[in-house]
Amino acid sequence: MIETEVLIVGSGPAGASAALFLSRYGISTTVVTKYRWLADTPRAHIMNQRTMEILQDAGVAQEAMRDAVPNHLIGNSILCESLVGREIGRIKSWGAAPERLSEYRLNSPFEICDIPQNYLEPILIANAAKDGAQIKFSTEFLSLTQDDQGVTAQVRDRISGNQYPIRAKYLIGADGGRSRVASAIDLPMQGEMGLAGSVNILFKADLSSYVAHRPSALFWMLNPEARIGGLGVGLLRMVRPWNEWLCVWSYDISQPAPQLGEQDAVEIIHKILVFCLR
Ligand SMILES: Cc1cc2nc3c(=O)[nH]c(=O)nc-3n(C[C@H](O)[C@H](O)[C@H](O)COP(=O)(O)OP(=O)(O)OC[C@H]3O[C@@H](n4cnc5c(N)ncnc54)[C@H](O)[C@@H]3O)c2cc1C
């Protein structure tokens, strides 16, 4: 039986930062996470000033800033018909509007910046591990039982297939939107689920000549033909300036999720690039 004070299920932003803070406080912590590594796609990215301050408290802000795209490269949201078409407008965003700049600057030593989740999670987890957290990859949470002294979780090593228990005083369910921890304790969920289906496609392409003069994290293409994939508006997100991108391809959520192969992805990217550059 492995014993720990706090068992964290999940190594996303919630689990990884809980592990980091608990380790900084010297609390024995074990993280179990289902996959063999951390996020492999960019997902959450805009870091507000308070988040940066919290990272500073945890001693990792400088490290995070090395991987961040700074405010002056994300401070516009571009509305256009396409990347080469008519530009409709630029909305100053993320604290970059001239009339708000001093307010933002006066209220924090940090600016809002952009750190994709697949860059941030390794920083959080590596620092938690340096401070003593045990990180168990490829380990799936299965079930739990609670008693007056704590909680016993059953987990499965996905490499060997072995199941074993972990005993903890506390368990943090940080296992995402489809949390098995939440269902294990019958935690009610509020709100409407399953509103839209979207496929996120990552690709590399040097688009500097279309975007570098109007730096932005998000390019919104308003165009009747943007209905590709049923989205109604084309969104291109910068992942790394200006050669790594994420585009969103939606699907009808009343139907099963499409099973896309490499060739489908290539065709969709081709359509999206034609759309962006027409
Ligand atoms: C494709 C995509 C794009 C996104 N884009 C954005 C964006 O642009 N901006 C934004 O703010 N947010 C975005 N998000 C949302 C953002 O990623 C989430 O809000 C955030 O990741 C939630 O963090 P979390 O730590 O709660 O859970 P998650 O990041 O979902 O982490 C869950 C963790 O639990 C683990 N886990 C799950 N089940 C088990 C189990 N049974 N046993 C063990 N481990 C388990 C997983 O491996 C993972 O480590 C996006 C999400 C996706 C999927």
Side-chain angles (χ1 to χ4, degrees), residues 61-128:
Q62 298 310 317
E63 210 176 322
M65 277 166 64
R66 281 202 290 274
D67 281 339
V69 178
N71 189 272
H72 71 272
L73 294 182
I74 62 169
N76 291 297
S77 285
I78 307 293
L79 305 175
C80 54
E81 289 179 348
S82 78
L83 288 187
V84 294
R86 190 166 66 99
E87 186 177 297
I88 299 161
R90 297 178 192 186
I91 300 173
K92 286 288 181 190
S93 350
W94 322 123
E99 69 277 18
R100 302 287 307 281
L101 209 53
S102 51
E103 191 188 335
Y104 277 86
R105 293 253 168 98
L106 284 168
N107 277 292
S108 176
F110 293 100
E111 293 189 323
I112 298 177
C113 59
D114 184 313
I115 313 172
Q117 200 169 321
N118 52 336
Y119 286 79
L120 185 62
E121 284 183 14
I123 295 172
L124 301 176
I125 285 291
N127 281 281

Side-chain angles (χ1 to χ4, degrees), residues 25-42:
Y25 286 127
I27 293 168
S28 131
T29 306
T30 299
V31 178
V32 293
T33 191
K34 197 168 161 182
Y35 301 105
R36 62 158 203 90
W37 182 233
L38 305 168
D40 58 356
T41 51

Side-chain angles (χ1 to χ4, degrees), residues 10-14 33-35 43-45 117 139 141 174-176 237:
S11 56
T33 191
K34 197 168 161 182
Y35 301 105
R43 308 182 210 171
H45 55 127
Q117 200 169 321
T139 304
F141 164 85
D175 52 341
R237 168 184 157 192

